[in-house]
Amino acid sequence: MTVKKSAQHRPRVVIVGGGFAGLSAARELSASPVDIVLIDKRNYHLFQPLLYQVATAGLSPAEIAAPIRAILSHQPNVTVLMSKVAGVNTVAREVLTDTGRVGYDHLVLATGARHAYFGRDDWAPYAPGLKKIEDATAIRRRVLVAFERAEASDDPIERQALLTFVVIGGGPTGVEMAGAIAELARTALAADFRRIEPGTARVMLVEAGTRVLATFPEQLSQKAKQSLEQLGVTVLTGKPVEVCDSEGVVIAGTRIRASTLIWAAGVAASPAAKWINAEKDRAGRAIVGPDLTVPGHPEIFAIGDTAMVRDADGKIVPGIAPAAKQQGVYAARVIAAKVAGRPMPPAFRYRHLGSMATIGRKSAVVDFGWMRLSGFLAWLLWGLAHVYFLIGFRSRVVVALNWIWAYVTFQRGARLITGGEGS
Amino acid sequence: MTVKKSAQHRPRVVIVGGGFAGLSAARELSASPVDIVLIDKRNYHLFQPLLYQVATAGLSPAEIAAPIRAILSHQPNVTVLMSKVAGVNTVAREVLTDTGRVGYDHLVLATGARHAYFGRDDWAPYAPGLKKIEDATAIRRRVLVAFERAEASDDPIERQALLTFVVIGGGPTGVEMAGAIAELARTALAADFRRIEPGTARVMLVEAGTRVLATFPEQLSQKAKQSLEQLGVTVLTGKPVEVCDSEGVVIAGTRIRASTLIWAAGVAASPAAKWINAEKDRAGRAIVGPDLTVPGHPEIFAIGDTAMVRDADGKIVPGIAPAAKQQGVYAARVIAAKVAGRPMPPAFRYRHLGSMATIGRKSAVVDFGWMRLSGFLAWLLWGLAHVYFLIGFRSRVVVALNWIWAYVTFQRGARLITGGEGS
């Protein structure tokens, strides 16, 4: 689609990315006299915090994703385009996509992050990460196929390697994945096999730093480690991974044979900063000013995981969903003020609401700053919060029912092995 | 897994295929003193009658499929193996798989069917069929991407081709697909686009024979045609497709430019007959005797879509789910009688319960023989029957809720574009 601007047009806001940041910005502008074009290479908005549940066969993709144009269906001033952005012409003020050029008066780059391997990109084929739906279903396939192959195997050494799962990275994603795999093996799969005992599967969580959940208070890191160990997860801290290959991993000089490795250890920004030649940090994130615009380009915002944002206090804003949403809303308010000729809002202030991570079906850690919780009560809160923040009533009802079912029956609802070679 | 038999073992029954036929056979043998090994190349049982709903973004794969080993979890005498069968050694009485050899005393081949292009296999890349989950999600992607590309396009000719959908084959699958695509375009997608009117999409159903639903009474074929036309589907009968290519189709000499073609016009059997060198019909189906065994091999059964079965009356049994289930139960009873030294049951008799096909959200045709229905009441019956026959309480609840939601809100619940190049 090639969309040129004319003199009589309303201001055109182009938002690249339909994740938490981009979607919040679009919605915040619903009452502004602007025309919005939201571009995403996919047709759906993904609720990433629950992606690990797709990867561990607990939820289906459709339960945590919704078509962007359906979400924005009732907002007349936004047009949604499913296109791949190749670059930005900052002089002509056009976004270059695979379906044409889209002119802008204001540009919001909210393209998120991808996994990073800290210079060891050769590990990527062996240790897949978890950032998109295809990642999640691929991990799900690997995990479930490992149990299937172990059931069919006659070789005890091969069986042992098949029943060993290594999760690399002790942040919330790694903790949640490791807990969920252990739970899958010990509950949902327990009665379904005849030649193996799924409960004997070894699940390991490897963290190079001193503790898991390093961004949480130390006391909650300890509780998380205990909950994981109660689920049968082996937690290794202070040990970096030295080798990832088709046999497994080498950790602190020890070879561990494992057929399933999962990477949860690092992210890097999408290429948005490159498109506009902005200054970047080491993770590729575009460095932005206190109003979230790119220095030298007051008409270009970079928000969410693709940006390196400092609070008005100078602290770096974490790459989590609530932060992305707050930035989206803020950028929209700056644009609305400019369009209306009103004074600019003050510098962006990040409000940290809290951190949460869940471990299996009964335990979580929650840090609200003024209050910390762990165990079953924290898990209930985690569940409520995540259901609440899902977009769409239907998704909330479906996910809540799914979780209630899984809790009561110990069954995980989405244990399909789909895709892969020879499908 | 290599499983040899020993002198002290119980009779070993190997069932290849976890569809309606194979699963019914396994379950019917739950009380028999036999050891069953059920082999399937996939880990799930698929409720094929509802596959078209995945293809038209109405249901998710996990709602119509369940892991075979979960379904059989509480049946101690069955071991489930996810393996690909490469052949059968009928002398040594072993099934050859990619995980080893499995010996049998009784063998049940229930490997189903795949789509067939009547000698025009070159059409396959342009007109995908619908037999497995990956087919369904691929068609879903094609259909949804067509609307997305039309929204982004500036070329009216390209847009017209993108918004033209041709379904080839007027049996129940083709009728249901065509109706569902028309409904998707006219209801769920209607408000979500800004530059196109999804309701202007052209959906065509092409049937080479004289009427759609040729296996139904003529009066119901007429009703189905009317319901399709009310939904905006163009029904072309008596016209064979002459060309399928990247531009679209040629029907009776007329070129129709369409970017989405769907093949619902023919099936052929899986290679089971080849494995055992059995006599085959033109569709590759193994010809079996009145007790469903392969002539010359009383220990080998072929059932379901992979077999050509004649009723005790001499009529060919149709390749539909209820027939497959009846054959599975029958084969199991013959095996149970042999094992117990009891007399054989009489020849297989097929009980035709009825035929059903649905057209969109409010209409169906139902033929019970003694009773025929069409319209809304038929649609309710269709819904009840399909929910009832789903395996698993959870699936039934989820699908029923999904349908109620879709009916009330006009929204289709699974509109994700996943997979594909560049995911």
Side-chain angles (χ1 to χ4, degrees):
Chain A
M1 175 176 110
T2 297
V3 193
K4 295 196 188 307
K5 297 171 292 177
S6 70
Q8 289 86 25
H9 78 292
R10 305 202 300 180
R12 158 83 53 67
V13 179
V14 174
I15 302 173
V16 183
F20 290 115
L23 200 54
S24 301
R27 288 168 121 178
E28 185 70 13
L29 285 169
S30 63
S32 281
V34 294
D35 289 324
I36 307 163
V37 176
L38 192 152
I39 306 173
D40 195 303
K41 61 183 173 181
R42 299 200 171 81
N43 80 322
Y44 55 83
H45 164 79
L46 175 63
F47 192 78
Q48 284 191 34
L50 291 182
L51 199 52
Y52 83 95
Q53 290 224 358
V54 174
T56 53
L59 293 176
S60 284
E63 291 168 335
I64 61 163
I68 299 166
R69 61 175 68 260
I71 296 169
L72 297 171
S73 177
H74 302 294
Q75 187 171 325
N77 70 342
V78 63
T79 300
V80 177
L81 286 188
M82 186 174 110
S83 306
K84 273 200 182 85
V85 172
V88 178
N89 183 332
T90 54
V91 174
R93 297 200 179 174
E94 288 179 333
V95 177
L96 315 167
T97 82
D98 63 351
T99 56
R101 300 190 308 269
V102 185
Y104 64 84
D105 296 300
H106 305 273
L107 176 63
V108 180
L109 298 170
T111 43
R114 53 192 63 176
H115 9 102
Y117 292 87
F118 304 123
R120 295 309 307 260
D121 283 351
D122 52 310
W123 289 355
Y126 306 111
L130 186 65
K131 256 295 167 194
K132 41 189 172 92
I133 282 181
E134 290 80 5
D135 293 341
T137 51
I139 289 174
R140 176 180 75 185
R141 180 166 61 246
R142 261 173 122 125
V143 169
L144 294 177
V145 165
F147 285 96
E148 293 289 344
R149 290 215 179 113
E151 174 84 340
S153 170
D154 291 315
D155 175 356
I157 294 183
E158 180 192 42
R159 203 177 267 191
Q160 164 99 304
L162 285 167
L163 292 177
T164 302
F165 302 83
V166 179
V167 180
I168 302 164
T173 301
V175 166
E176 291 174 334
M177 285 283 316
I181 295 173
E183 189 176 88
L184 176 69
R186 281 155 187 64
T187 58
L189 301 185
D192 289 1
F193 291 82
R194 300 283 178 264
R195 294 159 41 87
I196 61 168
E197 283 285 347
T200 63
R202 287 190 308 162
V203 183
M204 312 176 103
L205 178 63
V206 184
E207 165 60 38
T210 48
R211 55 188 175 102
V212 298
L213 297 184
T215 55
F216 285 59
E218 177 152 2
Q219 166 200 23
L220 291 181
S221 294
Q222 282 312 309
K223 289 249 187 275
K225 183 168 190 268
Q226 283 164 21
S227 294
L228 282 167
E229 286 166 347
Q230 270 164 19
L231 268 179
V233 176
T234 306
V235 181
L236 298 173
T237 48
K239 298 191 194 312
V241 168
E242 291 150 11
V243 175
C244 279
D245 58 24
S246 57
E247 301 286 301
V249 290
V250 174
I251 300 172
T254 311
R255 155 68 69 179
I256 296 171
R257 299 197 65 216
S259 74
T260 307
L261 313 176
I262 297 164
W263 186 262
V267 291
S270 64
K274 284 192 210 147
W275 293 339
I276 52 172
N277 233 344
E279 209 191 325
K280 309 190 288 287
D281 72 354
R282 270 189 338 163
R285 299 181 293 183
I287 294 173
V288 293
D291 65 349
L292 305 187
T293 62
V294 173
H297 284 286
E299 73 286 356
I300 300 181
F301 295 79
I303 55 176
D305 284 0
T306 203
M308 209 286 283
V309 178
R310 283 191 191 276
D311 211 356
D313 294 338
K315 292 195 309 188
I316 296 179
V317 178
I320 60 179
K325 291 170 87 163
Q326 290 178 29
Q327 292 167 38
V329 167
Y330 178 88
R333 288 184 182 162
V334 173
I335 293 171
K338 281 183 183 171
V339 161
R342 289 196 309 265
M344 295 292 109
F348 174 71
R349 287 198 84 86
Y350 168 58
R351 271 185 61 220
H352 186 71
L353 302 170
S355 305
M356 296 179 153
T358 181
I359 306 102
R361 64 202 302 279
K362 291 186 307 217
S363 184
V365 291
V366 169
D367 175 31
F368 284 143
W370 51 276
M371 176 175 82
R372 295 169 187 175
L373 279 176
S374 58
F376 186 65
L377 201 61
W379 178 80
L380 279 181
L381 251 167
W382 175 92
L384 276 168
H386 281 70
V387 166
Y388 178 73
F389 281 110
L390 273 171
I391 284 182
F393 176 71
R394 185 183 166 278
S395 274
R396 290 175 190 163
V397 170
V398 170
V399 170
L401 286 177
N402 236 311
W403 284 350
I404 290 168
W405 180 264
Y407 193 80
V408 170
T409 66
F410 290 85
Q411 285 304 312
R412 296 186 81 94
R415 285 171 45 192
L416 303 190
I417 299 173
T418 56
E421 321 88 36
S423 295
Chain B
M1 173 176 113
T2 296
V3 192
K4 296 195 186 306
K5 296 170 293 178
S6 71
Q8 289 85 26
H9 78 290
R10 305 201 300 179
R12 159 82 52 67
V13 179
V14 175
I15 301 174
V16 183
F20 289 115
L23 201 54
S24 300
R27 287 167 119 178
E28 186 71 14
L29 285 169
S30 63
S32 281
V34 295
D35 288 324
I36 306 163
V37 176
L38 193 153
I39 305 172
D40 195 303
K41 60 183 175 180
R42 296 198 173 84
N43 80 321
Y44 55 84
H45 164 79
L46 174 62
F47 192 79
Q48 286 192 32
L50 290 182
L51 199 51
Y52 83 95
Q53 290 224 359
V54 174
T56 54
L59 293 176
S60 284
E63 292 168 333
I64 62 164
I68 299 166
R69 59 177 68 261
I71 296 169
L72 297 172
S73 176
H74 303 293
Q75 189 171 324
N77 71 341
V78 62
T79 300
V80 177
L81 286 188
M82 186 174 108
S83 306
K84 274 200 181 84
V85 171
V88 178
N89 183 332
T90 53
V91 174
R93 297 201 179 177
E94 288 180 333
V95 177
L96 315 167
T97 81
D98 61 353
T99 56
R101 300 190 307 270
V102 186
Y104 63 85
D105 296 301
H106 305 274
L107 176 63
V108 180
L109 297 171
T111 42
R114 52 190 66 176
H115 10 102
Y117 291 88
F118 305 122
R120 294 311 308 261
D121 284 349
D122 51 313
W123 288 356
Y126 305 112
L130 186 64
K131 258 291 166 197
K132 42 189 171 92
I133 282 180
E134 290 80 5
D135 293 341
T137 51
I139 289 175
R140 176 181 74 185
R141 181 166 57 247
R142 261 172 123 125
V143 169
L144 294 177
V145 165
F147 285 97
E148 292 288 345
R149 288 214 179 113
E151 174 83 342
S153 170
D154 290 317
D155 176 354
I157 294 182
E158 181 192 43
R159 202 177 267 192
Q160 164 97 307
L162 285 166
L163 291 177
T164 302
F165 302 83
V166 179
V167 179
I168 303 164
T173 301
V175 165
E176 291 174 334
M177 285 284 315
I181 294 174
E183 190 176 88
L184 176 68
R186 282 154 186 63
T187 57
L189 302 185
D192 289 1
F193 291 81
R194 301 284 176 263
R195 293 159 43 87
I196 61 167
E197 284 285 345
T200 62
R202 287 188 308 163
V203 183
M204 313 175 104
L205 178 64
V206 184
E207 164 59 37
T210 50
R211 55 188 175 103
V212 298
L213 297 184
T215 56
F216 285 60
E218 177 151 4
Q219 165 201 25
L220 291 180
S221 293
Q222 282 311 310
K223 290 250 188 271
K225 184 169 189 269
Q226 282 166 23
S227 294
L228 282 166
E229 284 166 347
Q230 270 164 18
L231 268 179
V233 176
T234 305
V235 181
L236 298 173
T237 49
K239 296 192 195 314
V241 169
E242 291 151 11
V243 176
C244 279
D245 57 25
S246 55
E247 299 288 302
V249 289
V250 174
I251 299 171
T254 311
R255 155 67 69 181
I256 296 171
R257 300 197 64 216
S259 73
T260 306
L261 312 175
I262 296 162
W263 186 263
V267 291
S270 63
K274 285 194 208 142
W275 293 339
I276 53 173
N277 233 345
E279 209 192 325
K280 310 191 287 287
D281 72 354
R282 274 191 332 164
R285 297 182 293 184
I287 294 173
V288 294
D291 65 347
L292 305 187
T293 62
V294 173
H297 286 285
E299 73 285 359
I300 300 182
F301 296 79
I303 56 175
D305 283 1
T306 203
M308 209 285 283
V309 178
R310 282 192 192 274
D311 210 357
D313 293 337
K315 294 196 307 190
I316 296 180
V317 178
I320 59 179
K325 290 170 89 162
Q326 291 179 26
Q327 292 167 38
V329 167
Y330 178 87
R333 288 185 182 161
V334 174
I335 293 172
K338 281 183 182 169
V339 162
R342 289 195 311 263
M344 295 293 108
F348 174 72
R349 290 199 81 88
Y350 168 59
R351 273 186 58 219
H352 186 70
L353 301 170
S355 308
M356 295 179 154
T358 182
I359 305 102
R361 65 202 301 279
K362 289 187 304 219
S363 184
V365 292
V366 167
D367 175 31
F368 284 143
W370 51 276
M371 176 175 82
R372 297 169 186 177
L373 279 177
S374 58
F376 186 66
L377 201 59
W379 180 78
L380 279 181
L381 252 166
W382 176 92
L384 276 168
H386 281 70
V387 166
Y388 179 74
F389 282 111
L390 273 171
I391 285 181
F393 176 72
R394 184 182 166 281
S395 273
R396 290 177 190 160
V397 170
V398 169
V399 170
L401 285 178
N402 236 310
W403 284 348
I404 291 167
W405 180 263
Y407 192 79
V408 170
T409 65
F410 290 85
Q411 284 306 311
R412 296 186 82 95
R415 283 171 47 191
L416 304 190
I417 299 173
T418 56
E421 321 87 36
S423 298

